Amino acid sequence: MSGEDYIPLRRVLKDYLREHGITLKDLLSVMDEDKEGIMEALSKRVYMTRAQRMALERHLSSRDLNLLLFVIQAFYILNPSGLYKGLIIEPVREDVMVGDKVTFEGCKMILKALGISSNIEI
């Protein structure tokens, strides 16, 4: 496959929001601001240890955690094809998920693709 068969996750998110007529600020404003609640929701979708969970919570803002949660749900869990408008979302689903959950390393790949610092030390 050529590089044209892939679409960066960041571009997918921007296009998706534009098509639905919402801004990132609008989307995040309706999501939970309580880190504990966000982490509970993430732990249902991500394979992570207690130490990894604490590291995410410590290093990321509520806004970043909510964005991570939205992207995981919308573009990976609910999208088993891994495609957006016929293009393969990068990072690819097979690299970030095992079964029906995202791996911790997959989270870091998603964060990096979104331009969020993913230098999370455990």
Side-chain angles (χ1 to χ4, degrees):
M1 287 188 189
S2 70
E4 296 160 15
D5 294 331
Y6 290 86
I7 184 169
L9 179 59
R10 193 174 176 131
R11 189 174 334 149
V12 169
L13 177 63
K14 285 181 181 180
D15 186 69
Y16 179 88
L17 293 174
R18 183 180 43 76
E19 276 197 1
H20 287 84
I22 57 175
T23 66
L24 188 55
K25 184 179 179 181
D26 293 338
L27 172 71
L28 296 175
S29 72
V30 298
M31 295 180 79
D32 193 350
E33 290 186 26
D34 174 49
K35 275 192 175 182
E36 189 173 318
I38 302 166
M39 292 310 301
E40 239 354 90
L42 272 173
S43 66
K44 292 177 183 174
R45 294 160 177 85
V46 178
Y47 290 114
M48 62 182 148
T49 64
R50 181 170 168 78
Q52 290 168 332
R53 178 183 166 143
M54 290 172 58
L56 278 178
E57 193 171 359
R58 187 173 50 249
H59 288 90
L60 298 175
S61 68
S62 293
R63 180 188 184 283
D64 291 342
L65 290 170
N66 272 324
L67 181 57
L68 176 63
L69 178 61
F70 174 77
V71 165
I72 286 171
Q73 186 69 30
F75 303 120
Y76 290 96
I77 293 176
L78 295 177
N79 181 18
S81 71
L83 300 176
Y84 182 77
K85 296 185 175 180
L87 300 171
I88 301 166
I89 299 171
E90 198 170 43
V92 297
R93 191 173 195 275
E94 293 77 26
D95 289 347
V96 300
M97 293 189 74
V98 171
D100 61 348
K101 284 188 171 185
V102 173
T103 64
F104 184 73
E105 285 305 312
C107 276
K108 290 171 66 173
M109 292 171 72
I110 290 169
L111 290 167
K112 183 177 180 182
L114 293 171
I116 298 170
S117 175
S118 60
N119 292 334
I120 300 169
E121 299 297 321
I122 313 271

